[in-house]
Each structure stands twice: as structure tokens, then as C-alpha cells.
């Protein structure tokens, strides 16, 4: 039976929060929104998902917030994709008023030769260049679309045979992806302590190559490969996938799925979906690893 779960009970799916007798006030919430990481390319690595966080956002009680947790992008040959956006939407005031607080999916890694990485929360790494003296593909742009503070960084550029046909590393929330000539490592992610412990999210994937591959960035980025598929990004971190070998047609890993966390000093009136509910430092923490909703 469908419905809403709240600490200590269950509300029927027919429950109408708009018609409920809710005493309105204002509470302050902290939030973290991480999008899905980009899928791995053939040598180019996926970028980390967009990373957006904030504290003391004012919210009117009785307001439902709709939570979307983005999936990681695909590394499937012929169907490679960016990660999927994550968001919090609801209420009548910033930052959650429609279209909401949105983190963009990480950019897909470049595939084939001389192919750019995808733009996204953090950009995907460019692919290798075919033939001595030919430049590889450029890294994708990060922080796309542009928000302030920035949600991510650019991917690294690929290079030609001098650097073992290696692609560029995916950008991370905390650093740009490494160019092929600099190792093709994924950019480091960014840390948040909203859960009660410091956790790093949205690292870029490491580039794939013909004989040398890059390592994934801290925050769930997958390692690149010299043979076969790169490693997938870690689930619920928004990490980008590692790049596959430089064969051009190799399927690679998928980006890591995103996560949304909301914390407050008050207990929610209801939640929809199955968030993990914990406490730390006098705050109640709601961790969504799949889409849902919450009302305080």
C-alpha cells in the first residue's frame, strides 16, 4: 500500500497536507544536493555530479519539498550520457521555489578520438588524439549551468600518442580534472559534514588509456582502465566513471548516483519514500538516496 512514512508512524496515501491542520511557522534547514556523475567514455572520464550545499535556508512549516535524486550517467557504448540532475523543489521563497535548487549531472567522458567531454555539474574528460602531434578532445565545462557558488569544475583535455593515448580526467566538485599530459587523474570532490561526519562527494573519474590510466578523484570517482571498461563511480556520491581503454568502441562504467540530505532541529511531519533518518549534534538528518518528499 502506498503512503507516507514519518518517524514513529505511517500516513495514508490519501492524506492531503494542504488540508491538514498545520500550525505555520518558519524553520531553518541545511541541505546538500549532489547530482549523478557522468558516464565513462572511451579514454575520457566522466565528471562528478554538481555539488550544492547551504545552511539556514528559511522554510515555512507545512511546505512540501519534493526531492529528486539523479541517477549516474551511462557508459554504454553508443549510448553514453551525462548524469541526471538532483533537486529540491517546493515553497514560495528561494532557494527551493520552483524550479528549485538544482544540481546538474556530471558530464560524460569523450569517446573515440579527438572528442570533447560533456559539459555538466563538473565536465567530462576529453578523449585521446589519434596520431602523433594531434591534440585530443578538450575537457567539458564545469558549473554548467552557471550557479554561485560554483557546483563543479572542468574536465581535463585528452592528448595524442605521446601520452599513451590517454584521455582527460573528469572534473570534480573541488578541482579540475587532470589533462592527459598531467596524468589524467580525476578532480577531487568536495567534503560535507551535514550527515554528522565529513564525507567527500562528486569526484571525477580517472582517464582510460592505451598503457597508462588515471585514478579517480576523492569522492567516488572511478579509476580508468588500460583494457576494457573503466570503473563505475561510487553509488550515492555523484562520482564520475573512469574512462575505458582507448579502443574507441569499449563500453565503460556508469556514473555514481547522487544524494540529497536535509537536516533540521525539528522532526518532519511526514516523509515520502525511504530516507535514512539519523541524529547528530541536536539535528535530525534525512538522507535520500532515492526520490521522495518531506514536509516539516
Amino acid at each position: 500500500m502506498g503512503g507516507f512514512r514519518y518517524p514513529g508512524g505511517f500516513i495514508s496515501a490519501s492524506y492531503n497536507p494542504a488540508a491538514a491542520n498545520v500550525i505555520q511557522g518558519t524553520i531553518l534547514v541545511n541541505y546538500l544536493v549532489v547530482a549523478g556523475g557522468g558516464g565513462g567514455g572511451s579514454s575520457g572520464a566522466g565528471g562528478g555530479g554538481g555539488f550544492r550545499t547551504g545552511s539556514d535556508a528559511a522554510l515555512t512549516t507545512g511546505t512540501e519539498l519534493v526531492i529528486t535524486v539523479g541517477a549516474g550517467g551511462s557508459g554504454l557504448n553508443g549510448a553514453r550520457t551525462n548524469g541526471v540532475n538532483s533537486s529540491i523543489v517546493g515553497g514560495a521563497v528561494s532557494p527551493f521555489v520552483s524550479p528549485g535548487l538544482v544540481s546538474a549531472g556530471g558530464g560524460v567522458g569523450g569517446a573515440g578520438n579527438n572528442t570533447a567531454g560533456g559539459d555538466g555539474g563538473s565536465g567530462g574528460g576529453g578523449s585521446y588524439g589519434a596520431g602523433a602531434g594531434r591534440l585530443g578532445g578538450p575537457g567539458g565545462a564545469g558549473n554548467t549551468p552557471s550557479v554561485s557558488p560554483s557546483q563543479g569544475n572542468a574536465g581535463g583535455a585528452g592528448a595524442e600518442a605521446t601520452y599513451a593515448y590517454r584521455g582527460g580526467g573528469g572534473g570534480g566538485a573541488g578541482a579540475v580534472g587532470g589533462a592527459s599530459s598531467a596524468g589524467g587523474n580525476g578532480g577531487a570532490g568536495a567534503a560535507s559534514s551535514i550527515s554528522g561526519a565529513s564525507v567527500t562527494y562528486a569526484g571525477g573519474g580517472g582517464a582510460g588509456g592505451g598503457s597508462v590510466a588515471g585514478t579517480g578523484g576523492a569522492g567516488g570517482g572511478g579509476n580508468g582502465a588500460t583494457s576494457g571498461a573503466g570503473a563505475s563511480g561510487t553509488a550515492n556520491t555523484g562520482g564520475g566513471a573512469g574512462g575505458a581503454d582507448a579502443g574507441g568502441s569499449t563500453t565503460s562504467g556508469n556514473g555514481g548516483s547522487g544524494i540529497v540530505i536535509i537536516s533540521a532541529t525539528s522532526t518532519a511531519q511526514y516523509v515520502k519514500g525511504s530516507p535514512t533518518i539519523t541524529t547528530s549534534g541536536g539535528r535530525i538528518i534525512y538522507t535520500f538516496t532515492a526520490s521522495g518528499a518531506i514536509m516539516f
Side-chain angles (χ1 to χ4, degrees):
M1 181 178 71
F4 303 97
R5 183 170 63 87
Y6 67 96
F10 187 85
I11 297 176
S12 166
S14 63
Y15 173 74
N16 180 5
N21 183 21
V22 176
I23 300 174
Q24 289 200 325
T26 299
I27 65 168
L28 302 178
V29 299
N30 298 346
Y31 60 87
L32 171 70
V33 182
V34 179
S42 181
S43 75
F51 173 99
R52 301 187 67 183
T53 189
S55 58
D56 294 338
L59 180 69
T60 301
T61 55
T63 299
E64 182 181 69
L65 298 178
V66 176
I67 309 298
T68 299
V69 177
S74 171
L76 180 66
N77 181 40
R80 306 178 200 274
T81 61
N82 280 14
V84 179
N85 297 350
S86 293
S87 62
I88 303 174
V89 185
V93 296
S94 181
F96 305 129
V97 63
S98 182
L101 194 290
V102 181
S103 291
V108 65
N113 63 78
N114 308 304
T115 304
D119 300 338
S122 283
S127 70
Y128 70 95
R134 294 189 64 180
L135 297 177
N143 194 33
T144 303
S146 179
V147 295
S148 181
S150 174
Q151 62 181 314
N153 292 282
E160 42 81 21
T162 301
Y163 298 104
Y165 294 100
R166 189 170 51 217
V176 299
S180 174
S181 57
N185 296 326
S192 169
S193 296
I194 190 172
S195 65
S198 181
V199 179
T200 301
Y201 301 92
S211 59
V212 181
T215 58
N223 292 332
T226 57
S227 177
S232 293
T234 303
N236 302 127
T237 66
D245 64 45
S249 61
T250 305
T251 288
S252 195
N254 299 325
S257 54
I259 193 168
V260 174
I261 303 177
I262 296 175
S263 79
T265 56
S266 301
T267 301
Q269 297 188 52
Y270 75 78
V271 295
K272 184 178 181 181
S274 301
T276 299
I277 304 172
T278 57
T279 60
S280 178
R283 302 188 70 87
I284 304 164
I285 302 156
Y286 300 85
T287 300
F288 289 84
T289 56
S291 299
I294 189 168
M295 186 179 83
F296 288 95

